[in-house]
């Protein structure tokens, strides 16, 4: 399989999907999302694969979400997508959840924005002690509705999920493990070995039992898919606003966003 934005390897029954856009901290564009979906489809169909690992190339980032340099007022530009936001992230979220094999996020640095969502949608997360976690949507004029918000409440609870989204703070690996956002933290140098060890532990289990367990866990939250669909439509409309573009432009221009006028504040 020929991929430009990801690396895809298989070894010892484990498929490794590695986002490889290090110049933008592994931010994704439409092609990246499509390639990840293709890799997951392959791992799904390949009977020799029992576990999938999602990670980022390099030592700075797992993934920092959508590539803001490609975001215009009509959504993410570049390769055509079916979604009105210009990225088929719903397909990616769906396949991470629906592939009937455990998916481990090996978080090797920043897991921010849409990249943070990818890690917590995985079945398990193992983090390097250097990892940083957080959402940034309300600062950059975006939001990841549906699984990105509602499923996070299942992981860390309502209060913490709302804090994460409303304040856009960053959390270190130890805080993340304390709030149940990750399963284990290891020194960065041990991340790959630890991930392999967890994967091999699951490879010794009955694949059918794991498949049924995963489907059963998912059943409780599958209804969120409908909210995601509605939310992504709202997001596409929001992206077309001056308010959303203020967030995106502020990030690209390295300044603080000024959202005052969108709340109706009088100019000072
Ligand atoms: C990730 C973070 C906190 C890192 O900060 P720092 O200071 O360590 O690094 P820096 O200098 O900001 O970033 C390094 C390079 O990566 C680029 C930067 O522009 C910079 O480029 P150069 O100046 O070296 O050329 N970069 C970082 N994030 C990028 C991004 N997302 N797109 C394009 N280039 C990016 C800090 O960089 C940060 O907060 N980044 C913004 C994260 C962000 O806005 N993510 C998108 C959220 S929206 C989303 O993911 C989404 C959604 O909400 C709904 C649907 C789909 C996607």
């Amino acid at each position: 399989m020929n991929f430009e934005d990801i690396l895809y390897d298989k070894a010892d029954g484990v498929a490794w999907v590695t986002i490889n856009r290090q110049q933008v901290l592994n931010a994704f564009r439409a092609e990246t999302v499509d390639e990840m979906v293709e890799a997951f489809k392959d791992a799904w169909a390949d009977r020799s694969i029992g576990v999938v690992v999602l990670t980022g190339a390099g030592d700075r980032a797992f993934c920092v979400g959508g590539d803001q340099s490609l975001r215009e007022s009509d959504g993410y530009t570049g390769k055509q997508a079916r979604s009105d936001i210009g990225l088929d992230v719903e397909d990616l979220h769906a396949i991470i959840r629906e592939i009937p094999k455990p998916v481990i996020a090996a978080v090797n640095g920043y897991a921010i924005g849409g990249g943070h969502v990818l890690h917590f949608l995985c079945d398990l997360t193992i983090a390097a002690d250097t990892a940083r976690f957080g959402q940034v949507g309300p600062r950059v004029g975006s939001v990841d509705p549906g699984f990105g918000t509602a499923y996070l409440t299942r992981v860390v609870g309502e209060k913490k999920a709302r804090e994460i989204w409303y304040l856009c703070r960053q959390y270190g690996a130890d805080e993340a493990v304390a709030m149940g956002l990750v399963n284990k933290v290891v020194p960065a140098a041990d991340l790959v070995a630890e991930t392999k060890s967890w994967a091999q532990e699951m490879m010794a289990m009955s694949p059918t039992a794991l498949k049924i367990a995963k489907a059963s866990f998912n059943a409780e939250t599958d209804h969120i898919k409908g909210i995601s669909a509605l939310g992504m439509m709202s997001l596409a409309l929001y992206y077309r606003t001056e308010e959303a573009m203020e967030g995106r432009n502020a990030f690209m221009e390295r300044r603080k966003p000024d959202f005052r006028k969108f709340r109706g504040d009088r100019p000072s």
Side-chain angles (χ1 to χ4, degrees):
M1 299 174 88
N2 277 336
F3 293 129
E4 197 181 331
D5 288 9
I6 68 165
L7 307 172
Y8 183 55
D9 304 292
K10 299 182 202 177
D12 304 321
V14 182
W16 289 72
V17 180
T18 306
I19 306 169
N20 188 25
R21 301 190 75 227
Q22 292 185 59
Q23 70 283 10
V24 285
L25 300 179
N26 298 326
F28 50 72
R29 56 179 180 160
E31 287 87 342
T32 329
V33 172
D34 288 359
E35 289 181 8
M36 282 193 272
V37 170
E38 280 312 304
F40 272 89
K41 277 186 190 166
D42 179 83
W44 188 329
D46 186 338
R47 301 281 162 170
S48 73
I49 295 297
V51 176
V52 181
V53 176
L54 179 61
T55 191
D59 57 9
R60 283 197 71 193
F62 170 77
C63 176
V64 297
D67 187 330
Q68 298 307 290
S69 68
L70 299 174
R71 198 182 124 201
E72 304 291 345
S73 60
D74 57 350
Y76 291 87
T77 56
K79 187 186 177 201
Q80 211 166 23
R82 285 175 295 123
S83 168
D84 290 343
I85 66 163
L87 296 173
D88 287 319
V89 284
E90 277 175 86
D91 293 347
L92 180 57
H93 294 173
I95 202 159
I96 290 172
R97 282 173 58 84
E98 288 163 17
I99 186 171
K101 307 175 184 194
V103 181
I104 306 175
V107 179
N108 52 311
Y110 286 119
I112 298 287
H116 186 248
V117 174
L118 295 185
H119 105 80
F120 70 69
L121 285 180
C122 292
D123 297 276
L124 301 168
T125 297
I126 304 176
D129 53 3
T130 50
R132 307 284 300 166
F133 299 85
Q135 298 298 155
V136 288
R139 186 182 298 131
V140 300
S142 189
V143 62
D144 210 325
F147 285 116
T149 50
Y151 186 70
L152 184 58
T153 68
R154 301 296 184 119
V155 180
V156 297
E158 287 279 355
K159 295 286 182 191
K160 206 70 195 176
R162 287 165 198 249
E163 174 191 311
I164 291 170
W165 267 102
Y166 297 168
L167 281 77
C168 296
R169 290 178 179 165
Q170 279 184 23
Y171 303 85
D174 287 340
E175 286 173 281
V177 83
M179 68 172 103
L181 190 58
V182 311
N183 297 86
K184 180 149 191 198
V185 179
V186 293
D190 299 340
L191 181 63
V192 170
E194 186 72 21
T195 305
K196 283 182 178 171
S197 158
W198 283 54
Q200 289 311 316
E201 219 174 311
M202 290 187 285
M203 287 295 290
M205 306 297 166
S206 154
T208 307
L210 294 180
K211 176 170 155 175
I212 295 169
K214 180 162 179 172
S216 169
F217 282 124
N218 284 352
E220 177 67 14
T221 49
D222 272 347
H223 64 94
I224 296 172
K225 202 168 181 176
I227 307 169
S228 286
L230 279 173
M232 290 297 173
M233 290 175 209
S234 308
L235 181 62
L237 296 175
Y238 172 52
Y239 274 171
R240 284 156 173 75
T241 66
E242 196 190 333
E243 179 180 344
M245 284 309 285
E246 166 59 15
R248 179 267 182 205
N249 290 341
F251 172 70
M252 294 307 296
E253 293 160 15
R254 301 259 163 203
R255 61 174 173 81
K256 281 191 175 169
D258 183 355
F259 291 119
R260 283 172 304 174
K261 75 173 179 182
F262 305 107
R263 246 191 333 263
D265 290 8
R266 289 163 196 266
S268 50

